[in-house]
Amino acid sequence: MKVVLRFAPSPTGPLHIGGVRTALYNYLLARKYGGIFILRIEDTDQTRFVPGAEEYIIESLSWCGITFDYGPHIGGPHAPYRQSERKAIYAEYAHLLVERGWAYYAFDTEEELEEMRRRFEAAGMSAPQYNAITRSYMKNSLTLPPEEVQERLRSQPYVIRFLVPRGREVRFYDEIRGWVSVHTKEMDDKVLLKSDGMPTYHLANVVDDHLMGITHVIRGEEWLPSTPLHVLLYEGFGWEMPKFAHLPLLLRPDGGGKLSKRDGDQLGFPVFPLRWRDPFTGEVSEGYRERGFLPEGLTNYLALLGWHPAEEREIFTMEELIQAFSLERVSKSGARFDFEKARWVNQQHIRKLPLERLTALVHPLWMARGLPSISEVQLMQLMALARERGALLPELIEAVRFFYEAPTFPLPPEKESKLNPNLVEKLPQWMDHLWALEPWNAASIEAFIKSQAKSEKMTLSQVLPALRLALTGEEMGPSLYVIIELLGRVETRRRLERFLAEYGVRREV
Ligand code: GLU
């Protein structure tokens, strides 16, 4: 059997990284079993529609490398893939359920419903509200005479409600949680079709999963309470059920609840994959992309949030994830988000990235900072030095600060104390030799410095720290020989001259 999976977001805002993880797990399984992966936009709740959200979802997933076979942006055999464009289909199925005795028409006004809620509250009872008991005294096709029902259907707004059967245990198997069982007395008669003719989430979701041939429904834990109703809907329609799997929540780093945008803001990490500008408030939220994550770093980290690989290993490419992933190894308990770990995973991917690609990614960031223009070859050399020294792309630019920022003198006293007067005295002569050095590369620079030190009877630890301070103002960093090569003859000389102007004996010209 061919597996068919779907990701079914509602365009009510930017996609949260929890949503990216749901999409990712669906994608991994679809690809692992050579199946089909569908994007379906669940936009039937027009009151929660946010302009730009659908485009954002598509762009985010595409940046993450999560690709679809069918969707609103691609088309496919069951198009349209946007639920608001499938309205007529759902109404037809809602009426079919009424015919089959699994649903009924309800005519209650807002005031009447409110009145019922008040009675519930007064009796100290909480939800469910419209259920086997209350339905018997509300205005619906179960309580009103058939002629009145027909008359009301013609003349006033109505909804279609699901008729939850009495006295039954609804059982279903969840691929992550095992058997789940809920008694129908815990369930209420949810609205399936609203008075504006739009379906609710439950109806549209089940009808589309059936029509699109979905074999596995993998979604967040927050949908688990809806599943018993979905199971009964499948029964009412007489359709075969897909397999269900409900993914554990993404928790705050301290484990104390669901990870929200506010937690991210407070703790200083993004919760969205890409930058998002709220169209109503204008508020801008930074995304993982802007923070300097690689898509493969983010997806690798998200894969580990709730799934445990069989082998002792944490770094995976997307292809490797596809091979290794299985629902059996997804845990039931919530997964704590750990930004430091996310950075570490990203760093491993930065180290693995071909240097050309890394350079191509850093180049636009370099230019956007207004740094001096640089050739690709030069930037590539810099990135070869920097790649071990940063977890996020902007940190790689920080790691080669020496290149675009000359040190300022005088140095702070704690650094000044590291300058070796003996070296400072000899430096003018060294400079002359260095200036003439051929060829100009790290190896010859290294050989030159070592032989100079030897002939002056100085150890490298007496030479290198002071030279590094003179050239970069820093006490530590990448190989000094490579730094000198990359600075080039002219800039090296310029910096050493400025250094000597501060600390050395002024040279006669
Ligand atoms: N539209 C729902 C959401 O926004 C889909 C839930 C499901 O996958 O069934 O998450």
Side-chain angles (χ1 to χ4, degrees):
M1 184 188 68
K2 201 171 184 75
V3 303
V4 184
L5 291 97
R6 62 13 174 222
F7 179 55
S10 299
T12 54
L15 186 62
H16 185 278
I17 45 173
V20 178
R21 187 197 55 174
T22 301
L24 175 67
Y25 284 14
N26 276 284
Y27 168 82
L28 294 177
L29 275 192
R31 296 292 172 251
K32 181 178 178 109
Y33 295 116
I36 302 262
F37 188 36
I38 299 174
L39 176 66
R40 185 173 73 222
I41 298 294
E42 302 208 326
D43 58 349
T44 55
D45 187 352
Q46 297 289 320
T47 58
R48 297 182 61 215
F49 177 80
V50 173
E54 179 183 321
E55 293 76 6
Y56 178 92
I57 292 168
I58 292 173
E59 194 193 338
S60 298
L61 295 174
S62 138
W63 178 72
C64 288
I66 298 173
T67 55
F68 294 92
D69 300 298
Y70 309 129
H73 56 313
I74 304 170
H78 299 288
Y81 290 95
R82 210 173 274 119
Q83 289 187 328
S84 57
E85 294 166 19
R86 301 169 63 81
K87 196 172 154 184
I89 302 176
Y90 311 118
E92 191 184 309
Y93 282 102
H95 287 97
L96 181 70
L97 278 186
V98 178
E99 268 167 43
R100 294 194 172 181
W102 279 90
Y104 58 93
Y105 302 111
F107 305 100
D108 315 279
T109 61
E110 256 320 303
E111 296 73 48
E112 287 163 338
L113 290 169
E114 194 42 48
E115 162 68 24
M116 174 187 67
R117 276 183 218 119
R118 266 201 301 275
R119 259 192 281 168
F120 255 79
E121 265 165 39
M125 291 157 82
S126 56
Q129 290 161 340
Y130 213 118
N131 62 11
I133 298 168
T134 37
R135 74 166 81 107
S136 64
Y137 56 78
M138 299 299 284
K139 292 208 174 51
N140 55 52
S141 58
L142 304 171
T143 57
L144 300 170
E147 313 75 57
E148 189 180 335
V149 169
Q150 289 312 317
E151 174 50 32
R152 282 177 182 261
L153 285 177
R154 272 192 299 275
S155 59
Q156 74 176 74
Y158 63 88
V159 299
I160 294 184
R161 284 185 183 270
F162 188 67
L163 180 56
V164 175
R166 268 174 188 263
R168 277 191 48 189
E169 200 66 52
V170 183
R171 264 164 66 83
F172 62 92
Y173 187 76
D174 183 284
E175 301 293 317
I176 296 168
R177 276 143 226 276
W179 285 100
V180 179
S181 159
V182 175
H183 196 275
T184 51
K185 71 172 184 258
E186 311 291 337
M187 299 169 63
D188 58 351
D189 293 355
K190 284 263 185 297
V191 171
L192 300 177
L193 196 72
K194 295 182 276 186
S195 55
D196 61 0
M198 272 291 195
T200 56
Y201 155 71
H202 307 289
L203 177 68
N205 186 269
V206 166
V207 166
D208 281 347
D209 280 347
H210 170 72
L211 295 179
M212 297 178 182
I214 303 301
T215 56
H216 295 68
V217 168
I218 303 175
R219 58 188 172 195
E221 184 180 294
E222 63 274 28
W223 301 102
L224 189 61
S226 301
T227 311
L229 170 62
H230 298 182
V231 169
L232 289 176
L233 279 165
Y234 280 101
E235 187 182 328
F237 283 121
W239 294 336
E240 199 185 323
M241 264 193 339
K243 285 186 169 28
F244 289 105
H246 290 88
L247 304 177
L249 289 178
L250 287 198
L251 302 177
R252 292 198 325 229
D254 64 5
K258 202 173 155 180
L259 179 70
S260 70
K261 170 163 151 34
R262 214 177 22 172
D263 301 319
D265 289 347
Q266 272 167 7
L267 298 166
F269 58 81
V271 297
F272 302 134
L274 311 182
R275 176 180 183 275
W276 166 256
R277 183 176 181 282
D278 188 303
F280 304 119
T281 64
E283 189 198 348
V284 172
S285 309
E286 186 196 32
Y288 277 82
R289 181 174 64 183
E290 293 71 31
R291 184 58 80 91
F293 272 76
L294 300 176
E296 45 273 59
L298 178 63
T299 48
N300 186 165
Y301 178 61
L302 290 178
L304 300 175
L305 280 178
W307 167 72
H308 304 281
E311 0 155 26
E312 278 292 318
R313 153 180 187 201
E314 295 188 293
I315 301 306
F316 294 84
T317 63
M318 193 68 110
E319 272 315 307
E320 292 164 345
L321 283 175
I322 292 171
Q323 297 306 318
F325 186 77
S326 75
L327 279 180
E328 290 85 65
R329 303 195 66 84
V330 175
S331 70
K332 284 201 262 292
S333 45
R336 283 178 198 222
F337 191 81
D338 177 350
F339 187 65
E340 277 311 308
K341 177 79 180 276
R343 280 173 50 90
W344 178 81
V345 170
N346 195 60
Q347 178 164 29
Q348 309 313 307
H349 283 274
I350 283 185
R351 289 181 180 171
K352 280 175 47 172
L353 207 63
L355 206 49
E356 294 76 21
R357 238 198 99 202
L358 187 62
T359 307
L361 287 172
V362 171
H363 194 250
L365 305 180
W366 183 276
M367 297 315 287
R369 285 197 181 195
L371 295 175
S373 70
I374 187 169
S375 74
E376 206 171 310
V377 175
Q378 245 178 339
L379 187 58
M380 197 136 93
Q381 288 171 318
L382 288 175
M383 288 305 110
L385 267 196
R387 69 188 315 168
E388 298 295 323
R389 296 171 178 271
L392 308 178
L393 295 176
E395 293 174 4
L396 302 183
I397 297 182
E398 295 299 327
V400 294
R401 180 175 284 277
F402 72 82
F403 184 80
Y404 52 85
E405 219 173 271
T408 46
F409 302 121
L411 294 163
E414 70 280 5
K415 287 184 178 170
E416 254 174 11
S417 66
K418 309 251 163 61
L419 296 175
N420 170 4
N422 208 0
L423 177 79
V424 176
E425 195 188 308
K426 297 281 180 326
L427 206 51
Q429 283 166 36
W430 289 35
M431 268 170 65
D432 290 339
H433 293 302
L434 194 59
W435 178 251
L437 191 69
E438 281 299 342
W440 184 267
N441 63 34
S444 63
I445 292 165
E446 178 172 359
F448 165 77
I449 290 178
K450 284 183 172 165
S451 85
Q452 286 296 108
K454 199 168 169 199
S455 65
E456 311 279 4
K457 300 205 167 29
M458 285 190 267
T459 62
L460 282 181
S461 61
Q462 287 169 325
V463 170
L464 295 180
L467 254 187
R468 184 183 290 279
L469 282 167
L471 286 165
T472 70
E474 300 294 337
E475 291 178 74
M476 278 184 311
S479 155
L480 189 62
Y481 310 124
V482 180
I483 288 182
I484 295 175
E485 175 188 335
L486 292 176
L487 284 177
R489 256 182 244 275
V490 175
E491 180 64 13
T492 301
R493 188 184 181 105
R494 205 175 64 84
R495 290 190 186 186
L496 290 178
E497 272 170 357
R498 285 187 45 245
F499 172 78
L500 286 172
E502 181 75 31
Y503 293 104
V505 184
R506 197 164 287 278
R507 301 174 75 204
E508 302 300 325
V509 189

